[in-house]
Amino acid sequence: MGGCFGRITVETPTHTVVEDLTAEHGYEVRQYPAILVSETACDNTEQGNRAAFMKLARYIGVFGTPENKTKDGEPETVAMTAPVLNTGESAEAISMTAPVLNSGGKMAFTLPSKYKTLDSAPKPTNPEVSLREMPAFQAAVFTFTWSTDQADAEKRVIEFAAQLREDHAKRMEKLEDGKIKFALARYNGPMTLPFMKTNEISIYLRNA
């Protein structure tokens, strides 16, 4: 995923920049098409993140024979992509002072664009890994460096939400409990020098 110097050499999801507000507000508004992902449950702990990553890595065949089956019943190596996504977590959107840590999130790998439908992708043999199509979405995206994790992201998302332009703040998607819907994207592996890592926080926006 880019080696120690942070260069991203694998496929990443395509998107369109709807508004570039980097100079004024420090973020972009992006439009993403539907994205196919492999995903598994993941909690906020370092151990939970590591376990989730290993399950997804085994699905694509990082450590040997892929834990998947094609329509022909054979395993198929799936190319590594970036970023690794942590989704399904939320942060308190009312006080704008502190996040609410919330278990029950997921980690996801985006599938290579050669897979156009879920039926065309190899099926996981591990029942804890599943495939899903993320519908097309729009998001406010903040990019930053150094090492991060879900707990760090939950702190950052509160600060990020407070910086959103008013019209974007009104469009923030919320979960059923009223908390902000966001995702953490990490583009580099653990061997990348921290100051050369690329990370993003995406706050999902409702259609205007």
Side-chain angles (χ1 to χ4, degrees):
M1 295 171 64
C4 64
F5 296 110
R7 190 163 65 93
I8 300 167
T9 58
V10 296
E11 182 181 355
T12 60
T14 60
H15 66 268
T16 301
V17 177
V18 178
E19 292 184 84
D20 186 350
L21 302 173
T22 306
E24 303 94 334
H25 299 279
Y27 68 93
E28 294 179 338
V29 176
R30 299 179 186 171
Q31 180 69 45
Y32 284 88
I35 299 172
L36 302 182
V37 300
S38 58
E39 63 183 6
T40 190
C42 179
D43 61 32
N44 277 331
T45 66
E46 181 178 350
Q47 182 178 2
N49 270 262
R50 186 182 303 112
F53 184 91
M54 295 294 283
K55 291 173 188 175
L56 296 175
R58 291 190 180 99
Y59 162 72
I60 67 174
V62 171
F63 303 112
T65 302
E67 292 186 355
N68 66 51
K69 284 187 178 181
T70 64
K71 290 181 178 180
D72 296 330
E74 297 296 325
E76 177 177 290
T77 299
V78 179
M80 187 68 189
T81 61
V84 173
L85 296 171
N86 280 83
T87 62
E89 296 292 341
S90 58
E92 181 61 58
I94 300 173
S95 66
M96 293 298 179
T97 56
V100 174
L101 299 180
N102 185 9
S103 62
K106 293 186 177 183
M107 179 178 286
F109 285 6
T110 58
L111 296 183
S113 60
K114 77 172 193 174
Y115 301 113
K116 305 301 182 185
T117 65
L118 291 176
D119 285 341
S120 67
K123 302 300 182 288
T125 54
N126 182 345
E128 295 182 357
V129 176
S130 60
L131 303 182
R132 179 170 68 92
E133 180 179 84
M134 294 175 58
F137 64 94
Q138 193 170 110
V141 182
F142 164 62
T143 304
F144 60 102
T145 60
W146 293 89
S147 298
T148 187
D149 56 22
Q150 193 68 11
D152 175 59
E154 291 190 344
K155 296 175 183 177
R156 289 178 182 270
V157 78
I158 295 300
E159 299 170 357
F160 181 21
Q163 295 171 6
L164 290 180
R165 203 171 66 187
E166 183 178 0
D167 57 325
H168 296 144
K170 290 179 178 179
R171 292 171 52 206
M172 283 192 302
E173 283 199 33
K174 308 289 181 63
L175 301 177
E176 291 183 359
D177 55 9
K179 300 181 180 71
I180 302 168
K181 181 180 179 182
F182 77 96
L184 168 65
R186 287 174 282 189
Y187 285 81
N188 308 101
M191 299 305 293
T192 301
L193 296 171
F195 64 91
M196 289 187 171
K197 290 183 176 181
T198 299
N199 313 298
E200 292 175 343
I201 289 175
S202 297
I203 292 179
Y204 295 90
L205 302 177
R206 298 189 302 273
N207 292 330

